[in-house]
Amino acid sequence: MLPTGMGERFDEIQVLRFVAATGVVVAHAVDLTTARLGLETVLAGGTLEDFGAAGVDLFFVISGFIIATTTRGQTGLRAAGDFLRRRFIRVALIYWLLSLPILIGMARGGTLTADVAAASFLFWPFSGLEMTFPALGAGWTLCFEMLFYAGFGLAMAGGGRAGWALVVGAVAGVVAGLVVATPVLRFVGSPLVLEFLIGVGIARWGRGLPRAAALAAVGLGLVGFGLSLGFGYGEIDGEAALNQPLVGLARVVIWGLPAGLVVLGLAARARTEGEPGPVRRGLIFMGDASYAVYLVHVLVIRVLGRVFEAGGVLPGNAVVVLTIGASLAAGAAVHVGVERPLLRWLSFRGRVATRPLDPLKSG
């Protein structure tokens, strides 16, 4: 669940994290089935094939919303330092742990470059004008998460005026990135940064919506996603959105704005009464496990890909279902067996105050 420390609980947002993580897994499962194994599946060949990539945009908006909500009123250098330390430990440790098998394999095979190491360990993915993906490919979204955390930490340290200055600077960076091509602006000025700011704006101004307005916002958001399914979404689901600023801006409009509307509507319905039923608890648990699902599904797909390439014979649709089920199960197991104990141990050691609301790092 997503307790905010202010008497609120955002169960709907937590379930949305699970939906977003599953969408990303589905997109990658279809890619494994069609691009790598050459099999047919009902999801291939249309707009449904890569639509799950929109889960990343949901994650970015949710991250901005949750971070801004849970740090409300916290300012100063000490608060900023605590925030950055918690975020780094929460995000980086399990990410590096799950990246190790791939990093070791790349090192042994002689394919581990300095650019990949920088993207994997330093969260800096641009040494040129095209993104270098980390060893654990889905970790590209964590680079943007860390960029957002750094900016948000600076805003906390400097207070209100510094926060507004950083927002203006972020928007100016995006505008500059549309006309000037440099590695720094490809990253710092990426239009995807705007999706975090959408989430921050929802936390600041979007919390008092009446029920009818909240439902309307969710409905409009779903209509927006539906339009992209009906009319297509071009290249925004791929690397072009990262390497070409105009395509990235189109992604913010086509997927980021609908994601913001959905989060706005669900956030307006904070639950404070009663306990969720068993089905809802299960969905909320999978929301808790969504970060682990997001990271570990990459390893699951690599393993299953080798198994099927070695002679496993299944229809394409069965491969998709098996990959999704194995990824969700592995993520839940890693969450319970690795992520929770690690954070509990760190909390016991007094190194970080863990919070159960930590937003998913996407992609």
mmCIF file of all heavy atoms in Angstrom, residues 64-108:
data_model
loop_
_atom_site.group_PDB
_atom_site.id
_atom_site.type_symbol
_atom_site.label_atom_id
_atom_site.label_comp_id
_atom_site.label_asym_id
_atom_site.label_seq_id
_atom_site.Cartn_x
_atom_site.Cartn_y
_atom_site.Cartn_z
ATOM 1 N N GLY A 64 6.803 11.061 -9.925
ATOM 2 C CA GLY A 64 6.740 12.478 -9.583
ATOM 3 C C GLY A 64 5.672 12.768 -8.546
ATOM 4 O O GLY A 64 5.888 13.541 -7.606
ATOM 5 N N PHE A 65 4.509 12.123 -8.688
ATOM 6 C CA PHE A 65 3.412 12.336 -7.743
ATOM 7 C C PHE A 65 3.772 11.854 -6.339
ATOM 8 O O PHE A 65 3.589 12.582 -5.342
ATOM 9 C CB PHE A 65 2.157 11.616 -8.231
ATOM 10 C CG PHE A 65 1.065 11.541 -7.210
ATOM 11 C CD1 PHE A 65 0.314 12.663 -6.908
ATOM 12 C CD2 PHE A 65 0.813 10.364 -6.526
ATOM 13 C CE1 PHE A 65 -0.694 12.604 -5.942
ATOM 14 C CE2 PHE A 65 -0.187 10.294 -5.569
ATOM 15 C CZ PHE A 65 -0.941 11.414 -5.275
ATOM 16 N N ILE A 66 4.277 10.633 -6.229
ATOM 17 C CA ILE A 66 4.555 10.066 -4.917
ATOM 18 C C ILE A 66 5.699 10.790 -4.211
ATOM 19 O O ILE A 66 5.616 11.098 -3.012
ATOM 20 C CB ILE A 66 4.875 8.562 -5.034
ATOM 21 C CG1 ILE A 66 3.628 7.798 -5.481
ATOM 22 C CG2 ILE A 66 5.366 8.004 -3.702
ATOM 23 C CD1 ILE A 66 2.472 7.890 -4.511
ATOM 24 N N ILE A 67 6.765 11.089 -4.937
ATOM 25 C CA ILE A 67 7.888 11.792 -4.318
ATOM 26 C C ILE A 67 7.451 13.160 -3.808
ATOM 27 O O ILE A 67 7.782 13.558 -2.685
ATOM 28 C CB ILE A 67 9.047 11.923 -5.320
ATOM 29 C CG1 ILE A 67 9.663 10.557 -5.621
ATOM 30 C CG2 ILE A 67 10.121 12.873 -4.778
ATOM 31 C CD1 ILE A 67 10.236 9.846 -4.408
ATOM 32 N N ALA A 68 6.690 13.895 -4.623
ATOM 33 C CA ALA A 68 6.240 15.218 -4.194
ATOM 34 C C ALA A 68 5.266 15.131 -3.025
ATOM 35 O O ALA A 68 5.268 15.984 -2.127
ATOM 36 C CB ALA A 68 5.592 15.947 -5.365
ATOM 37 N N THR A 69 4.427 14.085 -2.996
ATOM 38 C CA THR A 69 3.451 13.927 -1.917
ATOM 39 C C THR A 69 4.122 13.581 -0.601
ATOM 40 O O THR A 69 3.807 14.150 0.450
ATOM 41 C CB THR A 69 2.427 12.835 -2.290
ATOM 42 O OG1 THR A 69 1.724 13.224 -3.466
ATOM 43 C CG2 THR A 69 1.428 12.616 -1.159
ATOM 44 N N THR A 70 5.053 12.653 -0.632
ATOM 45 C CA THR A 70 5.630 12.139 0.610
ATOM 46 C C THR A 70 6.708 13.035 1.199
ATOM 47 O O THR A 70 7.087 12.856 2.353
ATOM 48 C CB THR A 70 6.223 10.743 0.388
ATOM 49 O OG1 THR A 70 7.197 10.810 -0.658
ATOM 50 C CG2 THR A 70 5.137 9.756 -0.005
ATOM 51 N N THR A 71 7.188 14.009 0.413
ATOM 52 C CA THR A 71 8.207 14.923 0.951
ATOM 53 C C THR A 71 7.635 16.315 1.206
ATOM 54 O O THR A 71 8.391 17.241 1.473
ATOM 55 C CB THR A 71 9.394 15.040 -0.027
ATOM 56 O OG1 THR A 71 8.925 15.509 -1.295
ATOM 57 C CG2 THR A 71 10.082 13.697 -0.200
ATOM 58 N N ARG A 72 6.326 16.440 1.133
ATOM 59 C CA ARG A 72 5.706 17.753 1.304
ATOM 60 C C ARG A 72 6.099 18.371 2.636
ATOM 61 O O ARG A 72 6.016 17.742 3.689
ATOM 62 C CB ARG A 72 4.187 17.623 1.212
ATOM 63 C CG ARG A 72 3.435 18.951 1.191
ATOM 64 C CD ARG A 72 1.953 18.709 1.043
ATOM 65 N NE ARG A 72 1.671 17.977 -0.185
ATOM 66 C CZ ARG A 72 0.536 17.346 -0.418
ATOM 67 N NH1 ARG A 72 -0.400 17.313 0.510
ATOM 68 N NH2 ARG A 72 0.340 16.717 -1.564
ATOM 69 N N GLY A 73 6.561 19.621 2.572
ATOM 70 C CA GLY A 73 6.956 20.334 3.778
ATOM 71 C C GLY A 73 8.373 20.063 4.236
ATOM 72 O O GLY A 73 8.836 20.683 5.195
ATOM 73 N N GLN A 74 9.091 19.151 3.588
ATOM 74 C CA GLN A 74 10.469 18.836 3.970
ATOM 75 C C GLN A 74 11.427 19.691 3.147
ATOM 76 O O GLN A 74 11.479 19.577 1.918
ATOM 77 C CB GLN A 74 10.762 17.357 3.742
ATOM 78 C CG GLN A 74 9.879 16.418 4.545
ATOM 79 C CD GLN A 74 10.197 14.960 4.262
ATOM 80 O OE1 GLN A 74 11.307 14.612 3.868
ATOM 81 N NE2 GLN A 74 9.201 14.102 4.461
ATOM 82 N N THR A 75 12.186 20.530 3.794
ATOM 83 C CA THR A 75 13.150 21.382 3.112
ATOM 84 C C THR A 75 14.439 21.437 3.913
ATOM 85 O O THR A 75 14.482 21.019 5.076
ATOM 86 C CB THR A 75 12.608 22.812 2.926
ATOM 87 O OG1 THR A 75 12.279 23.364 4.222
ATOM 88 C CG2 THR A 75 11.366 22.826 2.042
ATOM 89 N N GLY A 76 15.467 21.963 3.287
ATOM 90 C CA GLY A 76 16.754 22.103 3.957
ATOM 91 C C GLY A 76 17.738 21.031 3.521
ATOM 92 O O GLY A 76 17.380 20.008 2.942
ATOM 93 N N LEU A 77 19.005 21.264 3.829
ATOM 94 C CA LEU A 77 20.070 20.359 3.394
ATOM 95 C C LEU A 77 19.942 18.973 4.014
ATOM 96 O O LEU A 77 20.160 17.957 3.349
ATOM 97 C CB LEU A 77 21.437 20.961 3.751
ATOM 98 C CG LEU A 77 21.879 22.165 2.906
ATOM 99 C CD1 LEU A 77 23.181 22.741 3.457
ATOM 100 C CD2 LEU A 77 22.052 21.752 1.441
ATOM 101 N N ARG A 78 19.577 18.908 5.292
ATOM 102 C CA ARG A 78 19.485 17.612 5.947
ATOM 103 C C ARG A 78 18.360 16.771 5.348
ATOM 104 O O ARG A 78 18.539 15.578 5.064
ATOM 105 C CB ARG A 78 19.255 17.797 7.444
ATOM 106 C CG ARG A 78 19.204 16.478 8.193
ATOM 107 C CD ARG A 78 19.176 16.703 9.687
ATOM 108 N NE ARG A 78 19.156 15.427 10.403
ATOM 109 C CZ ARG A 78 19.167 15.321 11.726
ATOM 110 N NH1 ARG A 78 19.219 16.415 12.477
ATOM 111 N NH2 ARG A 78 19.136 14.134 12.303
ATOM 112 N N ALA A 79 17.199 17.399 5.140
ATOM 113 C CA ALA A 79 16.077 16.671 4.543
ATOM 114 C C ALA A 79 16.432 16.203 3.136
ATOM 115 O O ALA A 79 16.123 15.075 2.747
ATOM 116 C CB ALA A 79 14.836 17.559 4.509
ATOM 117 N N ALA A 80 17.103 17.071 2.372
ATOM 118 C CA ALA A 80 17.497 16.692 1.017
ATOM 119 C C ALA A 80 18.496 15.543 1.037
ATOM 120 O O ALA A 80 18.403 14.603 0.227
ATOM 121 C CB ALA A 80 18.092 17.899 0.295
ATOM 122 N N GLY A 81 19.450 15.601 1.965
ATOM 123 C CA GLY A 81 20.431 14.526 2.063
ATOM 124 C C GLY A 81 19.798 13.199 2.432
ATOM 125 O O GLY A 81 20.131 12.153 1.859
ATOM 126 N N ASP A 82 18.858 13.231 3.374
ATOM 127 C CA ASP A 82 18.152 11.998 3.762
ATOM 128 C C ASP A 82 17.352 11.447 2.592
ATOM 129 O O ASP A 82 17.328 10.231 2.353
ATOM 130 C CB ASP A 82 17.215 12.279 4.938
ATOM 131 C CG ASP A 82 17.964 12.500 6.249
ATOM 132 O OD1 ASP A 82 19.160 12.126 6.312
ATOM 133 O OD2 ASP A 82 17.373 13.044 7.192
ATOM 134 N N PHE A 83 16.680 12.335 1.869
ATOM 135 C CA PHE A 83 15.889 11.909 0.718
ATOM 136 C C PHE A 83 16.764 11.240 -0.332
ATOM 137 O O PHE A 83 16.457 10.139 -0.821
ATOM 138 C CB PHE A 83 15.182 13.118 0.115
ATOM 139 C CG PHE A 83 14.660 12.898 -1.267
ATOM 140 C CD1 PHE A 83 13.518 12.143 -1.493
ATOM 141 C CD2 PHE A 83 15.314 13.450 -2.372
ATOM 142 C CE1 PHE A 83 13.038 11.927 -2.773
ATOM 143 C CE2 PHE A 83 14.840 13.236 -3.656
ATOM 144 C CZ PHE A 83 13.703 12.475 -3.856
ATOM 145 N N LEU A 84 17.871 11.880 -0.686
ATOM 146 C CA LEU A 84 18.740 11.331 -1.723
ATOM 147 C C LEU A 84 19.364 10.013 -1.282
ATOM 148 O O LEU A 84 19.499 9.078 -2.097
ATOM 149 C CB LEU A 84 19.828 12.342 -2.079
ATOM 150 C CG LEU A 84 19.334 13.603 -2.809
ATOM 151 C CD1 LEU A 84 20.464 14.603 -2.961
ATOM 152 C CD2 LEU A 84 18.764 13.234 -4.178
ATOM 153 N N ARG A 85 19.710 9.892 -0.023
ATOM 154 C CA ARG A 85 20.296 8.637 0.465
ATOM 155 C C ARG A 85 19.268 7.504 0.406
ATOM 156 O O ARG A 85 19.573 6.392 -0.035
ATOM 157 C CB ARG A 85 20.809 8.805 1.897
ATOM 158 C CG ARG A 85 21.556 7.575 2.418
ATOM 159 C CD ARG A 85 22.151 7.806 3.792
ATOM 160 N NE ARG A 85 21.133 8.009 4.809
ATOM 161 C CZ ARG A 85 20.845 9.179 5.357
ATOM 162 N NH1 ARG A 85 21.498 10.272 4.973
ATOM 163 N NH2 ARG A 85 19.918 9.289 6.287
ATOM 164 N N ARG A 86 18.042 7.793 0.841
ATOM 165 C CA ARG A 86 16.993 6.770 0.782
ATOM 166 C C ARG A 86 16.720 6.335 -0.650
ATOM 167 O O ARG A 86 16.598 5.148 -0.940
ATOM 168 C CB ARG A 86 15.695 7.309 1.411
ATOM 169 C CG ARG A 86 15.715 7.446 2.912
ATOM 170 C CD ARG A 86 14.291 7.615 3.441
ATOM 171 N NE ARG A 86 13.586 8.720 2.816
ATOM 172 C CZ ARG A 86 13.540 9.947 3.300
ATOM 173 N NH1 ARG A 86 14.185 10.233 4.414
ATOM 174 N NH2 ARG A 86 12.866 10.889 2.687
ATOM 175 N N ARG A 87 16.630 7.315 -1.535
ATOM 176 C CA ARG A 87 16.334 6.991 -2.927
ATOM 177 C C ARG A 87 17.441 6.149 -3.549
ATOM 178 O O ARG A 87 17.191 5.181 -4.262
ATOM 179 C CB ARG A 87 16.159 8.275 -3.743
ATOM 180 C CG ARG A 87 14.941 9.068 -3.424
ATOM 181 C CD ARG A 87 13.659 8.388 -3.869
ATOM 182 N NE ARG A 87 13.175 7.420 -2.911
ATOM 183 C CZ ARG A 87 12.547 6.314 -3.196
ATOM 184 N NH1 ARG A 87 12.318 5.977 -4.436
ATOM 185 N NH2 ARG A 87 12.137 5.509 -2.259
ATOM 186 N N PHE A 88 18.677 6.541 -3.297
ATOM 187 C CA PHE A 88 19.804 5.828 -3.896
ATOM 188 C C PHE A 88 19.847 4.385 -3.412
ATOM 189 O O PHE A 88 19.983 3.448 -4.209
ATOM 190 C CB PHE A 88 21.113 6.534 -3.562
ATOM 191 C CG PHE A 88 22.312 5.888 -4.183
ATOM 192 C CD1 PHE A 88 22.638 6.126 -5.505
ATOM 193 C CD2 PHE A 88 23.105 5.026 -3.451
ATOM 194 C CE1 PHE A 88 23.741 5.518 -6.089
ATOM 195 C CE2 PHE A 88 24.204 4.408 -4.020
ATOM 196 C CZ PHE A 88 24.526 4.660 -5.350
ATOM 197 N N ILE A 89 19.714 4.197 -2.115
ATOM 198 C CA ILE A 89 19.778 2.840 -1.576
ATOM 199 C C ILE A 89 18.582 2.022 -2.039
ATOM 200 O O ILE A 89 18.707 0.853 -2.403
ATOM 201 C CB ILE A 89 19.868 2.881 -0.035
ATOM 202 C CG1 ILE A 89 21.222 3.475 0.379
ATOM 203 C CG2 ILE A 89 19.684 1.499 0.569
ATOM 204 C CD1 ILE A 89 21.380 3.670 1.869
ATOM 205 N N ARG A 90 17.427 2.640 -2.055
ATOM 206 C CA ARG A 90 16.211 1.917 -2.447
ATOM 207 C C ARG A 90 16.273 1.464 -3.896
ATOM 208 O O ARG A 90 15.852 0.365 -4.248
ATOM 209 C CB ARG A 90 14.995 2.829 -2.219
ATOM 210 C CG ARG A 90 13.682 2.281 -2.749
ATOM 211 C CD ARG A 90 13.263 1.042 -1.991
ATOM 212 N NE ARG A 90 11.978 0.547 -2.462
ATOM 213 C CZ ARG A 90 11.808 -0.286 -3.489
ATOM 214 N NH1 ARG A 90 12.854 -0.695 -4.174
ATOM 215 N NH2 ARG A 90 10.607 -0.691 -3.824
ATOM 216 N N VAL A 91 16.811 2.306 -4.774
ATOM 217 C CA VAL A 91 16.785 2.032 -6.203
ATOM 218 C C VAL A 91 18.022 1.268 -6.669
ATOM 219 O O VAL A 91 17.929 0.304 -7.420
ATOM 220 C CB VAL A 91 16.652 3.357 -6.996
ATOM 221 C CG1 VAL A 91 16.825 3.116 -8.487
ATOM 222 C CG2 VAL A 91 15.313 4.011 -6.711
ATOM 223 N N ALA A 92 19.190 1.706 -6.228
ATOM 224 C CA ALA A 92 20.433 1.244 -6.855
ATOM 225 C C ALA A 92 20.853 -0.154 -6.429
ATOM 226 O O ALA A 92 21.340 -0.933 -7.262
ATOM 227 C CB ALA A 92 21.559 2.231 -6.568
ATOM 228 N N LEU A 93 20.695 -0.509 -5.155
ATOM 229 C CA LEU A 93 21.302 -1.747 -4.674
ATOM 230 C C LEU A 93 20.733 -2.975 -5.357
ATOM 231 O O LEU A 93 21.470 -3.827 -5.866
ATOM 232 C CB LEU A 93 21.154 -1.846 -3.153
ATOM 233 C CG LEU A 93 21.948 -0.816 -2.349
ATOM 234 C CD1 LEU A 93 21.843 -1.117 -0.860
ATOM 235 C CD2 LEU A 93 23.409 -0.793 -2.775
ATOM 236 N N ILE A 94 19.414 -3.115 -5.382
ATOM 237 C CA ILE A 94 18.838 -4.303 -6.016
ATOM 238 C C ILE A 94 19.041 -4.249 -7.529
ATOM 239 O O ILE A 94 19.213 -5.287 -8.187
ATOM 240 C CB ILE A 94 17.349 -4.450 -5.648
ATOM 241 C CG1 ILE A 94 16.823 -5.805 -6.148
ATOM 242 C CG2 ILE A 94 16.522 -3.302 -6.190
ATOM 243 C CD1 ILE A 94 15.445 -6.139 -5.641
ATOM 244 N N TYR A 95 19.063 -3.054 -8.090
ATOM 245 C CA TYR A 95 19.329 -2.916 -9.522
ATOM 246 C C TYR A 95 20.727 -3.415 -9.862
ATOM 247 O O TYR A 95 20.913 -4.185 -10.818
ATOM 248 C CB TYR A 95 19.155 -1.454 -9.917
ATOM 249 C CG TYR A 95 19.710 -1.094 -11.274
ATOM 250 C CD1 TYR A 95 19.225 -1.697 -12.439
ATOM 251 C CD2 TYR A 95 20.709 -0.132 -11.392
ATOM 252 C CE1 TYR A 95 19.733 -1.356 -13.680
ATOM 253 C CE2 TYR A 95 21.215 0.222 -12.633
ATOM 254 C CZ TYR A 95 20.727 -0.402 -13.764
ATOM 255 O OH TYR A 95 21.227 -0.047 -15.001
ATOM 256 N N TRP A 96 21.708 -2.999 -9.109
ATOM 257 C CA TRP A 96 23.074 -3.473 -9.352
ATOM 258 C C TRP A 96 23.184 -4.975 -9.110
ATOM 259 O O TRP A 96 23.872 -5.681 -9.837
ATOM 260 C CB TRP A 96 24.051 -2.722 -8.463
ATOM 261 C CG TRP A 96 24.307 -1.314 -8.912
ATOM 262 C CD1 TRP A 96 24.119 -0.799 -10.172
ATOM 263 C CD2 TRP A 96 24.785 -0.239 -8.115
ATOM 264 N NE1 TRP A 96 24.450 0.524 -10.197
ATOM 265 C CE2 TRP A 96 24.869 0.906 -8.961
ATOM 266 C CE3 TRP A 96 25.155 -0.111 -6.774
ATOM 267 C CZ2 TRP A 96 25.320 2.146 -8.496
ATOM 268 C CZ3 TRP A 96 25.608 1.115 -6.310
ATOM 269 C CH2 TRP A 96 25.679 2.229 -7.162
ATOM 270 N N LEU A 97 22.496 -5.456 -8.091
ATOM 271 C CA LEU A 97 22.540 -6.889 -7.782
ATOM 272 C C LEU A 97 22.003 -7.709 -8.951
ATOM 273 O O LEU A 97 22.619 -8.708 -9.357
ATOM 274 C CB LEU A 97 21.725 -7.167 -6.516
ATOM 275 C CG LEU A 97 21.666 -8.628 -6.047
ATOM 276 C CD1 LEU A 97 23.055 -9.106 -5.645
ATOM 277 C CD2 LEU A 97 20.705 -8.762 -4.860
ATOM 278 N N LEU A 98 20.872 -7.292 -9.510
ATOM 279 C CA LEU A 98 20.283 -8.029 -10.620
ATOM 280 C C LEU A 98 21.030 -7.796 -11.933
ATOM 281 O O LEU A 98 20.886 -8.584 -12.878
ATOM 282 C CB LEU A 98 18.813 -7.653 -10.776
ATOM 283 C CG LEU A 98 17.908 -8.081 -9.614
ATOM 284 C CD1 LEU A 98 16.487 -7.558 -9.808
ATOM 285 C CD2 LEU A 98 17.874 -9.603 -9.477
ATOM 286 N N SER A 99 21.814 -6.728 -11.994
ATOM 287 C CA SER A 99 22.620 -6.472 -13.190
ATOM 288 C C SER A 99 23.881 -7.317 -13.227
ATOM 289 O O SER A 99 24.466 -7.513 -14.310
ATOM 290 C CB SER A 99 23.023 -4.988 -13.257
ATOM 291 O OG SER A 99 21.902 -4.142 -13.377
ATOM 292 N N LEU A 100 24.307 -7.826 -12.082
ATOM 293 C CA LEU A 100 25.584 -8.533 -12.009
ATOM 294 C C LEU A 100 25.716 -9.688 -12.997
ATOM 295 O O LEU A 100 26.760 -9.815 -13.652
ATOM 296 C CB LEU A 100 25.825 -9.023 -10.581
ATOM 297 C CG LEU A 100 26.457 -8.046 -9.602
ATOM 298 C CD1 LEU A 100 26.615 -8.680 -8.231
ATOM 299 C CD2 LEU A 100 27.808 -7.559 -10.129
ATOM 300 N N PRO A 101 24.715 -10.580 -13.127
ATOM 301 C CA PRO A 101 24.891 -11.685 -14.079
ATOM 302 C C PRO A 101 25.181 -11.220 -15.493
ATOM 303 O O PRO A 101 26.020 -11.799 -16.193
ATOM 304 C CB PRO A 101 23.550 -12.434 -13.992
ATOM 305 C CG PRO A 101 22.984 -12.071 -12.668
ATOM 306 C CD PRO A 101 23.424 -10.671 -12.414
ATOM 307 N N ILE A 102 24.507 -10.160 -15.922
ATOM 308 C CA ILE A 102 24.725 -9.652 -17.277
ATOM 309 C C ILE A 102 26.078 -8.972 -17.377
ATOM 310 O O ILE A 102 26.819 -9.154 -18.362
ATOM 311 C CB ILE A 102 23.597 -8.688 -17.667
ATOM 312 C CG1 ILE A 102 22.241 -9.400 -17.598
ATOM 313 C CG2 ILE A 102 23.822 -8.136 -19.071
ATOM 314 C CD1 ILE A 102 21.062 -8.499 -17.860
ATOM 315 N N LEU A 103 26.432 -8.186 -16.368
ATOM 316 C CA LEU A 103 27.725 -7.497 -16.376
ATOM 317 C C LEU A 103 28.881 -8.491 -16.421
ATOM 318 O O LEU A 103 29.858 -8.299 -17.157
ATOM 319 C CB LEU A 103 27.843 -6.601 -15.144
ATOM 320 C CG LEU A 103 26.993 -5.328 -15.153
ATOM 321 C CD1 LEU A 103 26.913 -4.719 -13.758
ATOM 322 C CD2 LEU A 103 27.573 -4.307 -16.140
ATOM 323 N N ILE A 104 28.768 -9.559 -15.636
ATOM 324 C CA ILE A 104 29.819 -10.581 -15.623
ATOM 325 C C ILE A 104 29.922 -11.245 -16.994
ATOM 326 O O ILE A 104 31.021 -11.456 -17.526
ATOM 327 C CB ILE A 104 29.545 -11.619 -14.521
ATOM 328 C CG1 ILE A 104 29.706 -10.970 -13.139
ATOM 329 C CG2 ILE A 104 30.485 -12.815 -14.661
ATOM 330 C CD1 ILE A 104 29.265 -11.854 -11.992
ATOM 331 N N GLY A 105 28.759 -11.565 -17.573
ATOM 332 C CA GLY A 105 28.767 -12.180 -18.899
ATOM 333 C C GLY A 105 29.381 -11.266 -19.951
ATOM 334 O O GLY A 105 30.147 -11.718 -20.812
ATOM 335 N N MET A 106 29.056 -9.970 -19.892
ATOM 336 C CA MET A 106 29.631 -9.020 -20.844
ATOM 337 C C MET A 106 31.135 -8.883 -20.643
ATOM 338 O O MET A 106 31.896 -8.790 -21.617
ATOM 339 C CB MET A 106 28.940 -7.662 -20.698
ATOM 340 C CG MET A 106 27.473 -7.654 -21.092
ATOM 341 S SD MET A 106 26.700 -6.026 -20.891
ATOM 342 C CE MET A 106 27.465 -5.114 -22.237
ATOM 343 N N ALA A 107 31.569 -8.852 -19.384
ATOM 344 C CA ALA A 107 33.008 -8.738 -19.107
ATOM 345 C C ALA A 107 33.761 -9.953 -19.638
ATOM 346 O O ALA A 107 34.837 -9.832 -20.246
ATOM 347 C CB ALA A 107 33.234 -8.569 -17.615
ATOM 348 N N ARG A 108 33.194 -11.131 -19.420
ATOM 349 C CA ARG A 108 33.846 -12.348 -19.916
ATOM 350 C C ARG A 108 33.879 -12.387 -21.432
ATOM 351 O O ARG A 108 34.831 -12.900 -22.035
ATOM 352 C CB ARG A 108 33.120 -13.576 -19.371
ATOM 353 C CG ARG A 108 33.360 -13.823 -17.883
ATOM 354 C CD ARG A 108 32.578 -15.042 -17.413
ATOM 355 N NE ARG A 108 32.899 -15.385 -16.023
ATOM 356 C CZ ARG A 108 32.295 -16.344 -15.348
ATOM 357 N NH1 ARG A 108 31.327 -17.063 -15.917
ATOM 358 N NH2 ARG A 108 32.638 -16.594 -14.093
#
